[in-house]
Amino acid sequence: MFFVDVIEVPGLGNRGYLAGGERTAVVVDPPRDIDRVITVAARRGVRISHVVETHVHNDYVSGGLELARVTGAAYLVPAAAHVSFERTPVHDGDSVAVDAGLGLRALATPGHTPHHISYVLEDEGTAVAVFTGGSLLIGTVGRPDLVEPRLTERLARAQHASARRLAAELPDGTAVLPTHGFGSFCSSAQTAGGDTTIGKEKASNDALTRDVDAFVAGLLAGLDDIPAYYTHMGPANAAGPAPVDLTPPAQADPEAIAGRLDAGEWVVDLRHRVAFAEGHVAGSFNFEAQGQLATYLAWLIPWGKPVTLLAESAEQLAAAQRELARVGIDRPAAAATGAPADWLRPGERPASFRRATFADLAAHPRDGVVVLDVRRDSERAGGHVEGSVHLPVHTLHRRLDEVPAGQVWVHCAGGMRAAVAASLLDAAGRDVVAVDDGFDAAEQAGLVVRNG
């Protein structure tokens, strides 16, 4: 008997895995906060004998090196990956025993990176699952453009060949267990569903249904923006990440919060966008703890700039700190919990701005109004409000001077990114209205939506 436990990292759209038998188990692509993995293994009553990486990750800081150190497990990393720490190099065809009758076999699957390896879980010699990392995903593949622009087309062709190899060598019933593809920007397209098999992918995945030229052309045409912080993840993982420190940060009183704002540091309010719009510390930015906090904060913040976190509770703060550590924002400069009344100096009043819907925008006189679309290029290509200005949210903090004069009604696809943008504009002293509405409602409200 064997088991496979999924370790979800929903904020980043990733998964890690713990797979094993009665006594021992292997961990695949673990997150930075390894205590979660250790807890799952303890509940199973198994010893972690191996920790394996499918590739040097570009979108998060791996916990693999530290997990192997803490547990005494062998640390398996693709042999062709250039890393600066001791590990067990893995080559195509290598096998390791995980538990009685249970083994792991390496299959070279370059494409997401040049050195990428997938791992086939075999029970009594029969393939039962394959950990595909950033190779074959659910309905798509991992993007090939995160390593080096000059390698992108070559890696896209390698993705096609790697997917074909997996499909040719593994039984149709083999479960496909990718690391990326659940919202991660490492996926070349949005995926649908939470599980799949080799057989299902043969019927639906472009890499397995289209010839290589058509596949590559479609793949390259659909590539989206790359989060800026990805630049730092690969080097951090290749160097060997330091152990994560999740102890509470220093507490900031109202004077300290004001001082950090005056110094040009980022003060980030983690509360829901409705609460933030109703009242917040002037100059603070709103990144919801329940949204894609790590992705968007790490994408926007100048790398290395100190950040102070404002949270409703100690629990919300701890969860946010854990999520940010996964992308290398290791130690907040300071933090505070409570509400704006607890964060403001005597005599100070909270700042606020209006929230609205697309129906409100349609009913509002357009004179002196700027409609700001902060979605990505690929989203805007599918339709945009006529006359709107387009500045993707991940570029806005560097381009505030490009926002025309007037009252700014800012929207995204659903409301979360509009709230981030509204907080940036509000901190810059602009008169802003956050459109907290789904973009599908724009045309229904009577606004003219243009395609292209």
Side-chain angles (χ1 to χ4, degrees):
M1 294 295 294
F2 70 93
F3 69 86
V4 178
D5 288 336
V6 177
I7 300 164
E8 296 277 4
V9 191
L12 296 178
N14 285 330
R15 288 178 176 176
Y17 299 93
L18 177 79
E22 291 186 4
R23 295 181 175 82
T24 53
V26 59
V27 178
V28 182
D29 290 345
R32 181 86 180 279
D33 45 331
I34 62 172
D35 57 322
R36 298 179 62 214
V37 183
I38 293 171
T39 297
V40 174
R43 288 174 181 162
R44 282 284 186 181
V46 293
R47 176 179 63 87
I48 297 173
S49 60
H50 297 82
V51 177
V52 305
E53 303 281 9
T54 57
H55 60 292
V56 175
H57 302 283
N58 290 294
D59 65 327
Y60 70 95
V61 181
S62 172
L65 182 63
E66 178 64 4
L67 181 60
R69 186 191 68 81
V70 168
T71 61
Y75 190 31
L76 279 58
V77 177
H82 299 293
V83 297
S84 301
F85 48 82
E86 292 295 324
R87 89 289 193 201
T88 301
V90 181
H91 302 83
D92 184 42
D94 286 352
S95 295
V96 295
V98 176
D99 200 88
L102 194 66
L104 205 64
R105 177 167 56 90
L107 282 181
T109 48
H112 186 49
T113 66
H115 59 262
H116 193 285
I117 283 181
S118 298
Y119 297 90
V120 182
L121 185 67
E122 297 178 325
D123 184 26
E124 301 296 346
T126 299
V128 291
V130 56
F131 301 102
T132 56
S135 182
L136 186 66
L137 309 184
I138 301 176
T140 185
V141 296
R143 58 194 298 172
D145 61 330
L146 302 180
V147 177
E148 158 62 52
R150 292 172 294 183
L151 297 178
T152 297
E153 183 173 349
R154 186 191 313 169
L155 290 176
R157 292 181 178 277
Q159 279 289 54
H160 187 269
S162 292
R164 296 291 176 112
R165 181 186 185 190
L166 290 168
E169 296 189 16
L170 299 176
D172 283 357
T174 307
V176 176
L177 303 175
T179 299
H180 305 310
F182 310 97
S184 168
F185 280 85
C186 273
S187 176
S188 62
Q190 293 298 312
T191 62
D195 59 79
T196 191
T197 63
I198 290 292
K200 290 178 181 178
E201 293 307 304
K202 282 182 178 180
S204 61
N205 196 303
D206 281 353
L208 302 176
T209 60
R210 307 178 74 181
D211 66 62
V212 63
D213 290 331
F215 167 77
V216 169
L219 178 62
L220 298 184
L223 293 175
D224 211 336
D225 297 309
I226 301 174
Y229 72 92
Y230 278 25
T231 302
H232 306 280
M233 299 297 96
N237 286 320
V244 67
D245 179 2
L246 296 177
T247 58
Q251 290 295 301
D253 61 18
E255 285 293 341
I257 293 170
R260 292 191 177 278
L261 285 168
D262 290 343
E265 298 181 9
W266 278 36
V267 174
V268 170
D269 190 325
L270 300 168
R271 296 175 300 146
H272 190 273
R273 57 185 179 269
V274 174
F276 183 88
E278 291 175 349
H280 55 269
V281 175
S284 62
F285 303 141
N286 182 215
F287 290 80
E288 292 183 4
Q290 299 305 313
Q292 289 180 288
L293 168 65
T295 295
Y296 281 99
L297 179 54
W299 197 341
L300 270 68
I301 192 170
W303 198 252
K305 183 175 280 291
V307 59
T308 294
L309 301 178
L310 306 180
E312 289 180 324
S313 65
E315 292 75 19
Q316 186 183 65
L317 174 61
Q321 186 178 349
R322 177 181 291 269
E323 188 169 348
L324 293 175
R326 295 172 184 153
V327 294
I329 301 178
D330 283 6
R331 294 295 300 165
T337 56
D342 304 306
W343 306 330
L344 294 167
R345 293 175 294 189
E348 290 181 327
R349 296 180 59 83
S352 63
F353 53 77
R354 181 183 166 195
R355 294 171 50 253
T357 64
F358 279 110
D360 295 326
L361 175 59
H364 193 279
R366 297 298 287 271
D367 290 344
V369 166
V370 177
V371 179
L372 179 62
D373 180 349
V374 297
R375 296 173 302 157
R376 298 187 301 279
D377 292 346
S378 59
E379 296 172 285
R380 185 173 173 86
H384 64 273
V385 175
E386 184 178 52
S388 60
V389 176
H390 182 225
L391 294 172
V393 69
H394 59 272
T395 71
L396 183 60
H397 61 298
R398 303 189 305 270
R399 303 173 65 186
L400 289 170
D401 58 349
E402 297 180 35
V403 182
Q407 186 182 61
V408 184
W409 288 59
V410 58
H411 80 84
C412 59
M416 184 272 289
R417 287 173 292 171
V420 173
S423 71
L424 296 173
L425 291 160
D426 177 70
R430 297 298 300 268
D431 179 10
V432 64
V433 178
V435 178
D436 194 355
D437 203 354
F439 186 72
D440 289 346
E443 194 165 22
Q444 297 171 10
L447 294 166
V448 177
V449 174
R450 300 293 187 191
N451 290 326

